[in-house]
Amino acid sequence: METPDTNLDQANDVEAGMRQRAWGQHITAFVFVLILGFFLAFWLSRPSQLSQLPADRLQSLNQGWVDEKRCAECHEQAETFWETGHARTLLPVTDADSLNLLKQMNSFLESQGTPTSLHFDDETVLAVHERDGSTSQIRLDWCFGSGEHARTWVGTLTDSNGATDEVEFRWSWYHDIDGFDITPGQQKQAGSGYFGGLGLLFDAPKARKCFACHSSYLPVESGKIQTSKLHAGVTCQRCHGPRQAHVESEGEVTDPFWKNATQLESIHRCAECHRRAEEQPEADVHKDNDNIARFQPVGLVQSPCFQGSQMTCLTCHDPHLTLKAQDSLGIWQCTQCHDGTESKHVLCSAGHETGCIDCHMPKVKMDSPLKFTDHWIRIRKESESSP
């Protein structure tokens, strides 16, 4: 027979056990929080991957930049880099090449009887459009495009909030026809409104995106692009970051930014401007959509060549050289992996030893007078290849 004291002892044992389990749970929770806190502190203390991207440096303070002539003192690539399309992808409207094309354009517009004309005065270029007895005009400020494909001009203006808007001029010059036509993405019929006959008006966020892909340093204050401080063109420090520490240390301070990049990171760094696949609507990324040929990384990451190797943009392209100098239309790129020296190398099933690019990476015609090499490398049906 149990006594009251026995019942009390049992109750005390139960209570002690409950306290012990509770303390165990508290200790477990504390240790979990401690470990979680450690990992969070470690993670947050790491340099942000985004903060390291060159594009993020575009709108940072102009610290650590050097005269890029210094690059050529040690790097022979820098001696001729200024001839590349990247370096020439943004020019002031007063650049000699830009003015020459605009004067040719004015003759073209006059010969076509268009209501648009260009007026040159003291290194200022005004685009003027006459319609229904009214006149609209915009000063052209910048020339976009390297000239490898096309060149398009824009004018900038300040909106009511003080931010920089942009008017993309309605007419562009095209390399393939060495002539002029409607700017890509614009309708054949001029739009309405004040700027309708002159082109498309882009708001400040869109204007910044345009300039961001065509410049190396893009200072913006309260939405206004500081064009007097802008570094035009994609130059050394756009991709490699400010080099002051590197120069002052005579090369001892280096940045492993590119050296340590993974395959996909390397592709995405080019895709900051050439577009990532994730930026396209998923339904648009398919083999029958010729328009994605304009955005090379989008197609490349879909290709078996990319998915079955460590291939990146740099496998075939040296961004420090002009397209002509790097022989971008040769077959040396293909024979790096398709020369038959290893059993895993796949050879052409049609038995061809030349013409790889023509069959597997044909140029695709856009709606405008533009053609882009399709980087979705694949075996194609003959009907897929565009002339």
Side-chain angles (χ1 to χ4, degrees):
M1 181 179 208
E2 293 183 350
T3 67
D5 289 340
T6 302
N7 291 335
L8 181 60
D9 290 340
Q10 290 177 342
N12 288 337
D13 289 342
V14 170
E15 184 178 355
M18 292 176 65
R19 284 200 302 268
Q20 186 175 13
R21 284 194 297 273
W23 273 108
Q25 290 172 348
H26 288 316
I27 292 172
T28 301
F30 175 76
V31 171
F32 174 77
V33 170
L34 188 65
I35 294 173
L36 179 62
F38 171 78
F39 278 110
L40 282 174
F42 171 74
W43 181 259
L44 293 174
S45 67
R46 296 172 67 236
S48 167
Q49 180 72 10
L50 180 62
S51 70
Q52 298 178 31
L53 294 178
D56 208 45
R57 295 168 180 161
L58 286 177
Q59 296 179 21
S60 64
L61 293 176
N62 192 13
Q63 295 177 345
W65 286 69
V66 294
D67 184 341
E68 292 189 328
K69 292 179 181 177
R70 300 293 303 275
C71 302
E73 295 175 7
C74 299
H75 302 282
E76 62 180 15
Q77 302 100 316
E79 295 178 7
T80 57
F81 178 75
W82 307 104
E83 301 172 8
T84 66
H86 284 115
R88 297 181 294 112
T89 195
L90 181 62
L91 302 171
V93 73
T94 53
D95 179 89
D97 289 344
S98 168
L99 284 176
N100 180 50
L101 288 176
L102 285 174
K103 289 175 180 178
Q104 293 181 42
M105 181 190 289
N106 199 37
S107 298
F108 166 80
L109 295 174
E110 183 179 351
S111 68
Q112 297 297 306
T114 68
T116 304
S117 59
L118 300 173
H119 298 260
F120 304 84
D121 180 31
D122 296 330
E123 295 191 339
T124 297
V125 181
L126 286 179
V128 179
H129 185 76
E130 306 280 350
R131 177 164 54 187
D132 299 330
S134 62
T135 302
S136 55
Q137 64 181 35
I138 182 70
R139 186 189 68 202
L140 300 181
D141 299 312
W142 296 94
C143 175
F144 280 72
S146 66
E148 300 289 344
H149 292 291
R151 278 193 162 136
T152 299
W153 289 264
V154 305
T156 57
L157 61 156
T158 303
D159 67 17
S160 57
N161 295 316
T164 302
D165 290 348
E166 168 188 299
V167 176
E168 181 188 65
F169 191 45
R170 182 166 165 71
W171 296 91
S172 291
W173 174 85
Y174 293 91
H175 178 274
D176 284 354
I177 62 173
D178 190 17
F180 308 95
D181 206 328
I182 302 299
T183 296
Q186 298 200 27
Q187 299 298 319
K188 294 296 182 182
Q189 292 296 119
S192 59
Y194 183 84
F195 294 112
L198 293 169
L200 291 181
L201 175 63
F202 295 148
D203 62 12
K206 179 66 179 292
R208 286 199 299 274
K209 286 186 68 175
C210 293
F211 277 95
C213 281
H214 290 259
S215 59
S216 295
Y217 172 58
L218 184 66
V220 178
E221 295 179 8
S222 301
K224 184 174 180 61
I225 297 174
Q226 307 300 304
T227 53
S228 62
K229 301 176 183 178
L230 178 150
H231 292 187
V234 176
T235 59
C236 305
Q237 293 172 98
R238 165 62 193 264
C239 294
H240 295 285
R243 296 284 86 189
Q244 183 177 358
H246 178 74
V247 171
E248 291 179 350
S249 68
E250 297 184 348
E252 291 187 11
V253 175
T254 60
D255 186 350
F257 178 68
W258 282 99
K259 185 177 180 180
N260 295 339
T262 66
Q263 180 190 22
L264 195 58
E265 285 172 345
S266 180
I267 293 286
H268 282 173
R269 288 167 189 178
C270 298
E272 287 172 18
C273 294
H274 293 280
R275 302 288 180 88
R276 295 173 56 162
E278 292 83 355
E279 294 178 283
Q280 301 296 111
E282 187 175 350
D284 288 352
V285 183
H286 57 83
K287 294 179 180 179
D288 296 326
N289 183 6
D290 287 343
N291 290 326
I292 63 172
R294 184 175 180 179
F295 310 120
Q296 298 85 353
V298 177
L300 182 61
V301 297
Q302 320 300 325
S303 70
C305 290
F306 172 83
Q307 296 176 1
S309 73
Q310 287 301 304
M311 177 186 191
T312 69
C313 304
L314 303 180
T315 302
C316 300
H317 293 290
D318 183 344
H320 306 99
L321 301 175
T322 64
L323 288 175
K324 183 178 180 180
Q326 58 183 286
D327 185 21
S328 61
L329 296 180
I331 65 166
W332 65 269
Q333 301 97 324
C334 306
T335 55
Q336 291 179 74
C337 298
H338 299 279
D339 64 351
T341 58
E342 297 183 26
S343 59
K344 64 179 181 180
H345 285 188
V346 178
L347 298 181
C348 179
S349 59
H352 298 161
E353 296 181 355
T354 61
C356 309
I357 303 296
D358 293 338
C359 285
H360 301 285
M361 300 178 66
K363 286 187 176 294
V364 176
K365 179 77 169 58
M366 302 288 105
D367 292 337
S368 54
L370 285 173
K371 291 180 181 178
F372 290 97
T373 299
D374 189 351
H375 282 64
W376 192 329
I377 311 164
R378 60 188 186 271
I379 296 175
R380 300 164 178 268
K381 297 176 183 179
E382 188 171 347
S383 60
E384 285 186 85
S385 300
S386 301

